[in-house]
Amino acid sequence: MEEPVKTPGDTADEPRDFIRQRIERDIEAGQLPDGVVTRFPPEPNGFLHIGHAKSICLNFGVAEEYGGHTYLRFDDTNPIKEDEAYVKAIQEDVSWLGFEWTALTHASDYFEELYKFAVDLINDGKAYVDSQDAEAIRAGRGTLTEPGVNSPHRDRSVAENLDLFTRMRAGEFADGEHVLRAKIDMSSPNINMRDPVLYRIRHVTHQRTGDAWCIYPMYDFTHCISDALEGITHSLCTLEFEDHRPLYDWVLDNSNVNFHPPQIEFSRLGLEYTVMSKRLLNRLVDENLVSGWDDPRMPTIAGLRRRGVRPAAIREFCRRVGVTKQDNIIEMNLLEFCIRADLESSAPRGMGVLKPLKVTVTNWPGDEETLEGPWHGKNEALGTRTLPFSGELWIEQDDFAMEPPKKWKRLSPGEMVRLRYAFIIRCDEVITDADGAVVELKCTYFPESRSGSDTSGLKPKGVIHWVSAAHAVAVQINDYGRLFRVPAPTADTFLDDINPDSLEVLNGYVEPAIMSSESRHFQFERLGYFYKDPHADGQFNKTVSLREGF
Ligand code: ATP
Ligand code: MG
């Protein structure tokens, strides 16, 4: 973990991370007259995950903190994998996290300009058309220990290069017949500098530009020029791009742009028991191992939202993780801590029974009684709700023990327990089925033990939750566990490491006020936090348990 877990509210006087320190120095040096300009540049080839949230919080966060603005830029240069549906989902997720972009752009907005910059490079003798196939180009690039070899087409004349590049654009060649390469240094110790490909031919329809183009610029050419055109003052990216920085700088140094942003790298967020790559998450979706990108077990923003996580919890998590140059896998406990801390004081607390056991109150007079309880013991602003009570109740199977262990504070034969906000009951008789399983408890209730006006003098050891069988609403409760069995699933074996028991579906009951409340987030007392699924009526998704390790 990059920063120890602190108690909530512990935010003052933190040391600034290295990126914020850099921005503060730039401001002091008078280098940011128009403020900080950042961008969040996702490729629309999947839904955003919590790793992206780290980048979003950083990019939008610094612009907010220091004054400035942030572009949401879709890096849409690879039409084969990209989809307009992802563009929509990404916008929804960034907004939901609470950030506003000043402009929404696409790398494809710059295709025409990028093409002109490429032509300029050709005219300057800094780019050439290579006609080797992909395999030969790869082989010619050499290895970490061996220099590359020059392509036989490296010394084509400017005129020939211009002619071929124009015809590439015009669609005269098939995919892979030619590429445009930068002419840098085939023996550079940095393989990215060994004449990287700038353009390739792809006869595919682009989700935005349609069939206008059949050549598409590569990331390393597109990204830096897009940053320059947008006047990005700090191009923040993850560490795997450190080795690309010389190329980022080379392209800008050799192109006629009037702005040269610095690229600054920070560590990727990794999280235990999950995978954090759109490509791998896409396989989980494609192979139906989850119900979709928004399956509550997914580390996607949409999945976390559907689980019942709120934006503030994700932002707090990102703040605590911090920004460093150290790659790390963060413990799930930190995320769960933030989720719990966010819901603790604001989610109403009601009663739900996950594994119901029937209780018959044998001395119940038969009328219905309406009790009342606060929605939250410590947050009066949430108000109260009514609780119907009757002669048939559901309690939790786990709250009854035929042979109670020592210090048992719940129900057992002959013993008493208080029903939360209601009465004390005593278990008089246990009904079992043919296999000996407990199916019903016959209990007595004590009318004078009503919560708030208890004159019974009885002192049961514990309090349990319950619902009235006649009034409770039957619901499906989805209890989610970890999606993977191992803390750090790898790309090669992650499908074998899936936890087969990551979803337990329970048929339980909730008190009626939970169904009629406008809130979707609840604590079910003694059980955890649950979220009324907006896409599946009558279903609740478990957001997080009440304590660590459950
Ligand atoms: P993925 O492998 O999940 O597709 P990516 O890096 O290819 O990740 P992009 O859509 O290119 O995804 O990412 C947009 C931005 O989000 C980039 O600046 C990238 O560095 C950042 N980002 C992606 N994953 C993480 C992560 N795990 N932690 C921090 N930032 C991330
Ligand atoms: Mg990517």
Side-chain angles (χ1 to χ4, degrees), residues 18-275:
F18 76 99
I19 290 177
R20 287 175 169 86
Q21 287 175 22
R22 158 82 191 250
I23 292 173
E24 285 173 15
R25 281 199 307 275
D26 292 347
I27 291 172
E28 268 166 40
Q31 285 170 6
L32 302 176
D34 301 321
V36 180
V37 184
T38 54
R39 83 287 170 269
F40 172 64
E43 183 180 358
N45 62 345
F47 278 52
L48 297 181
H49 50 63
I50 190 161
H52 292 110
K54 174 175 173 176
S55 174
I56 293 169
C57 289
L58 177 63
N59 279 294
F60 285 89
V62 293
E64 269 175 23
E65 286 160 40
Y66 296 104
H69 59 267
T70 305
Y71 288 87
L72 174 59
R73 184 203 307 149
F74 288 99
D75 170 26
D76 57 348
T77 52
N78 188 0
I80 295 170
K81 294 188 292 169
E82 295 161 6
D83 198 293
E84 206 48 34
Y86 295 136
V87 170
K88 288 218 172 61
I90 289 171
Q91 290 180 54
E92 186 186 347
D93 289 348
V94 174
S95 298
W96 179 77
L97 280 172
F99 296 106
E100 278 178 46
W101 49 90
T102 35
L104 189 143
T105 59
H106 297 78
S108 57
D109 298 339
Y110 310 125
F111 278 175
E112 195 61 55
E113 275 159 288
L114 287 160
Y115 180 81
K116 290 195 186 110
F117 283 115
V119 169
D120 289 345
L121 284 179
I122 295 173
N123 277 319
D124 292 344
K126 289 171 180 162
Y128 62 97
V129 172
D130 195 354
S131 311
Q132 301 181 99
D133 62 24
E135 189 43 52
I137 291 177
R138 196 167 358 193
R141 191 161 277 157
T143 64
L144 284 174
T145 49
E146 271 175 70
V149 291
N150 286 353
S151 161
H153 308 115
R154 199 173 196 261
D155 295 319
R156 273 178 167 150
S157 68
V158 167
E160 192 184 356
N161 282 321
L162 280 178
D163 173 59
L164 284 169
F165 192 51
T166 311
R167 288 164 59 200
M168 279 167 67
R169 177 179 181 170
E172 287 186 28
F173 305 113
D175 289 7
E177 251 186 275
H178 305 282
V179 293
L180 184 74
R181 296 178 75 175
K183 194 174 194 173
I184 308 179
D185 176 5
M186 288 306 288
S187 57
S188 168
N190 183 338
I191 294 182
N192 293 310
M193 300 298 274
R194 294 183 191 167
D195 291 9
V197 173
L198 304 181
Y199 267 90
R200 60 190 166 171
I201 303 170
R202 281 271 189 285
H203 287 272
V204 279
T205 304
H206 185 279
Q207 64 271 18
R208 289 188 74 244
T209 58
D211 295 320
W213 295 87
C214 63
I215 55 171
Y216 290 98
M218 302 297 287
Y219 174 89
D220 284 318
F221 183 62
T222 311
H223 199 78
C224 52
I225 290 181
S226 305
D227 281 350
L229 295 175
E230 291 177 357
I232 303 300
T233 59
H234 299 82
S235 177
L236 311 175
C237 64
T238 35
L239 279 176
E240 71 273 20
F241 290 103
E242 199 163 17
D243 289 345
H244 295 241
R245 192 185 339 135
L247 180 52
Y248 184 102
D249 291 332
W250 183 92
V251 172
L252 294 184
D253 286 342
N254 290 284
S255 300
N256 189 22
V257 290
N258 46 21
F259 197 77
H260 187 146
Q263 173 182 304
I264 304 167
E265 308 88 13
F266 63 95
S267 62
R268 271 180 106 79
L269 173 76
L271 187 63
E272 274 185 341
Y273 296 100
T274 191
V275 290

Side-chain angles (χ1 to χ4, degrees), residues 321-341:
V321 164
V323 178
T324 70
K325 278 194 174 277
Q326 211 75 49
D327 267 325
N328 265 319
I329 296 198
I330 306 295
E331 285 180 37
M332 201 57 118
N333 276 340
L334 180 63
L335 178 59
E336 293 183 351
F337 171 87
C338 295
I339 297 170
R340 230 178 260 126

